[in-house]
Amino acid sequence: HSFPTRRSSDLDLKRYRAAIGAADRILASVPDFAPALFFRGLALAALGKNNEALPDLVAAVDSKALAPGDDQYARRSLAMAAVAIPATTDALALLAREEAQAGADSTLLVAKGQLLERLGRNTEAMVAYDDAVNHANKDEEKRTGWMFGAELALKTGDPTGALSRAQAAWKSAPGNPEVATVLAETASRLGRTDLVESAEREAKSTSSMDRGLRESLANALFRVGRYDQAATNFEELAQTAVS
C-alpha cells in the first residue's frame, strides 16, 4: 500500500521543482512579477525550504498586485513559513517589518503570537492573539485568534481568561471539535458543569465526534463529578478500540 503514496510524493516533488524552474525563467525577464514570486514561494515552502520561501512570499504580498484570494493565501503561507523556520527572532523581526509596511493582519498576528510564545514572551503573545481577533474579517480568523488565546491562557494559569475566549470561539462554531476540547477542559477547571454538558450535547449532535474529542469530554465530565456520563464515554471509547 505504500507504493501509490511514494509515487504521488515523487510526482509532487517534480511539480514543485517544475514550478520553481518556470518561476525562475519568468523572474529572469520580469524580476518583480508578483504571481511568479507567489508560486515560487509556495513551491519552496512545500519543499520545506521556508527560509528561501519567505523573501518571495513577502515580496508577493507587499506588491499588492495579487488577486484577493491569492493575496490571502500568500499571507497564510507567509505566516506558516515564518513559524516553521528555526530562527525565531529573525522570523519575528520579519513579521514586525511586514506589519509596519502593510498594516496589521489577522493571519500574521497569530503567527507573531506563536513566535512570541516560543520566546516565552507570553504577555505580548496574548496581545497579538487578541489583536488578531480585532483585525479579523472572517469568523474563521476570529476563531483562530480566540483559540490560540484560550490555549495560552490555560498554559499560563488563567482559566477565566481562557473560558471567555473559548466561549467566544464556541459561539462562532458550536460543535467544532477543537473548540469543544478547549471549552470542556477550561470549563471543567472552573467547575462549570453546565458548559461541559452543553459542549458534550452539541458535539454529539454533529458528525465530527472523533475519538480525541470524546476522550477530552469524558475527562472533563469526570473532573466536574459527572461520573456516569464520563463512564459512558469511556465505555464507548473502549468499544471503538476493540472494534
Side-chain angles (χ1 to χ4, degrees):
H1 295 290
S2 62
F3 290 110
T5 302
R6 187 178 301 122
R7 285 198 296 269
S8 176
S9 177
D10 289 343
L11 182 59
D12 287 342
L13 289 174
K14 290 178 181 177
R15 286 173 176 165
Y16 296 141
R17 288 168 182 156
I20 292 169
D24 285 343
R25 291 191 294 274
I26 293 169
L27 291 166
S29 301
V30 189
D32 298 325
F33 189 57
L37 290 165
F38 171 47
F39 285 113
R40 187 170 70 178
L42 292 181
L44 287 166
L47 292 172
K49 298 180 179 181
N50 292 294
N51 278 307
E52 297 175 47
L54 278 172
D56 281 351
L57 293 170
V58 168
V61 169
D62 289 349
S63 73
K64 296 182 172 55
L66 297 175
D70 287 346
D71 180 73
Q72 185 59 41
Y73 194 74
R75 288 177 187 274
R76 188 176 299 114
S77 301
L78 168 57
M80 293 173 64
V83 172
I85 68 171
T88 303
T89 304
D90 291 346
L92 188 58
L94 182 149
L95 292 182
R97 289 194 299 272
E98 187 63 21
E99 184 177 354
Q101 178 167 326
D105 174 85
S106 176
T107 301
L108 298 183
L109 283 166
V110 167
K112 177 182 177 181
Q114 291 176 272
L115 295 171
L116 287 165
E117 265 198 80
R118 196 184 299 170
L119 293 170
R121 294 160 59 179
N122 293 327
T123 301
E124 295 172 76
M126 186 64 79
V127 171
Y129 294 142
D130 288 343
D131 282 349
V133 172
N134 292 332
H135 286 90
N137 295 316
K138 300 178 181 177
D139 286 345
E140 181 183 352
E141 294 172 354
K142 289 181 182 292
R143 186 164 63 252
T144 299
W146 280 320
M147 286 296 292
F148 273 101
E151 290 171 347
L152 176 56
L154 277 177
K155 291 177 191 174
T156 55
D158 178 20
T160 302
L163 182 60
S164 64
R165 292 173 174 86
Q167 284 182 289
W170 183 255
K171 185 177 180 180
S172 75
N176 180 285
E178 182 184 7
V179 179
T181 299
V182 176
L183 176 63
E185 180 178 353
T186 306
S188 67
R189 290 192 190 187
L190 292 170
R192 290 293 304 274
T193 305
D194 58 323
L195 291 178
V196 176
E197 292 182 321
S198 174
E200 185 201 29
R201 284 195 303 272
E202 293 197 48
K204 282 187 172 180
S205 70
T206 71
S207 59
S208 53
M209 186 72 166
D210 62 12
R211 182 178 180 82
L213 174 56
R214 188 181 294 279
E215 186 173 339
S216 295
L217 289 170
N219 287 325
L221 287 164
F222 187 85
R223 283 195 293 269
V224 295
R226 291 295 190 262
Y227 303 122
D228 290 344
Q229 291 165 260
T232 298
N233 280 282
F234 284 130
E235 287 170 2
E236 291 172 352
L237 281 166
Q239 290 172 2
T240 58
V242 171
S243 60

